Amino acid sequence: NVLTQSPGTLSLSPGERATLSCRASHSVFSNFLAWYQHRPGQSPRLLIQGASSRATGIPDRFSGGGSGTHFTLTISTLEPEDSALYYCQQYGSSPNTFGQGTKLEIK
Amino acid sequence: QVQLQESGPGLVKPSQTLSLTCTVSGDSISSGDYYWNWIRRPPGKGLEWIGYVHFSGKTYYNPSLQGRALFSFDTSKNQFSLRLNPVSAADTAVYYCARGPDCSAGNCYDPFFDSWGQGTLVTVSS
């Protein structure tokens, strides 16, 4: 199941809202879709699993939505530390696959 | 809080064996609650899941590796390992180890990853 993320790069200012898209080539079984944040020099961090459930310790300004073949990650109020690569992953079929990533830049 | 740390040579010659170890702290790999995974990211490309090993001995290898990967674990050291043989330049990547929940509870079909190591760069070059 091929995942395509858009846009490739997003440049926004602190306080703005970011919406990242992840489209699957086939419907994702049971909406088993996760989002990860990867800051330079750090380990990737799980943000969302099951398309919309925040992982432990993730602030509520991160929210996931969508179903089937189209999913979104929304960051409601951007902070400077949100600058990172964001990946989606489907785990509803094997082998699980990742999108190519969206780079979020905070101006 | 679980922590994972990859270790191994940063340079491997073509046709030889890539060997990496992941040391886990804050959790026991023999608890049976999790799958222990390897993931890689080649330069300029996206993430690729290599596969997992479970304490029960169950393993899964991504078919894209064409049978070249082998997982093992050492419970006395709380470590799990990856061997990839033979390697080529296409195997140059940052390699990550990661923990994923056991899917028998119905919360996944394949693993997702709730904790990751920082990654280690392996370059395949003569």
Side-chain angles (χ1 to χ4, degrees):
Chain A
N1 199 342
V2 177
L3 301 183
T4 301
Q5 292 185 241
S6 61
T9 302
L10 190 56
S11 185
L12 295 168
S13 298
E16 289 191 299
R17 180 186 188 94
T19 301
L20 287 63
S21 173
C22 177
R23 291 189 180 270
S25 60
H26 301 88
S27 185
V28 177
F29 172 71
S30 205
N31 294 327
F32 284 152
L33 187 114
W35 289 93
Y36 301 89
Q37 178 191 63
H38 192 188
R39 295 174 180 144
Q42 296 188 15
S43 306
R45 179 171 71 148
L46 175 67
L47 298 174
I48 302 286
Q49 52 102 359
S52 60
S53 297
R54 273 187 299 276
T56 303
I58 301 303
D60 59 7
R61 57 196 185 83
F62 289 89
S63 62
S67 64
T69 60
H70 187 212
F71 299 87
T72 57
L73 174 70
T74 300
I75 311 171
S76 60
T77 308
L78 286 169
E79 298 185 3
E81 61 265 28
D82 296 333
S83 182
L85 267 170
Y86 291 83
Y87 293 99
C88 58
Q89 178 219 3
Q90 69 79 21
Y91 52 97
S93 60
S94 195
N96 63 81
T97 51
F98 293 86
Q100 81 280 17
T102 289
K103 183 178 181 180
L104 176 60
E105 298 176 340
I106 309 300
K107 298 175 187 173
Chain B
Q1 180 181 351
V2 63
Q3 292 187 314
L4 299 92
Q5 180 66 57
E6 305 87 353
S7 59
L11 181 64
V12 181
K13 289 182 168 48
S15 80
Q16 295 194 346
T17 300
L18 179 159
S19 295
L20 294 174
T21 295
C22 182
T23 301
V24 180
S25 58
D27 191 9
S28 171
I29 65 171
S30 57
S31 70
D33 294 332
Y34 293 95
Y35 296 129
W36 301 95
N37 299 263
W38 289 97
I39 299 156
R40 68 181 182 179
R41 186 178 68 171
K45 296 187 178 181
L47 292 162
E48 179 185 33
W49 179 60
I50 298 170
Y52 67 68
V53 60
H54 187 264
F55 175 67
S56 64
K58 181 179 179 182
T59 56
Y60 183 92
Y61 300 97
N62 192 324
S64 66
L65 276 297
Q66 299 178 311
R68 297 183 297 124
L70 182 67
F71 302 136
S72 61
F73 55 83
D74 184 339
T75 55
S76 67
K77 296 180 180 178
N78 215 34
Q79 294 175 334
F80 62 103
S81 298
L82 163 69
R83 288 171 63 86
L84 188 62
N85 171 262
V87 297
S88 70
D91 295 308
T92 293
V94 176
Y95 285 77
Y96 300 91
C97 56
R99 187 183 78 169
D102 186 337
C103 293
S104 60
N107 61 337
C108 50
Y109 181 86
D110 231 27
F112 61 95
F113 312 109
D114 65 1
S115 297
W116 298 60
Q118 288 209 323
T120 186
L121 174 63
V122 179
T123 302
V124 179
S125 175
S126 55

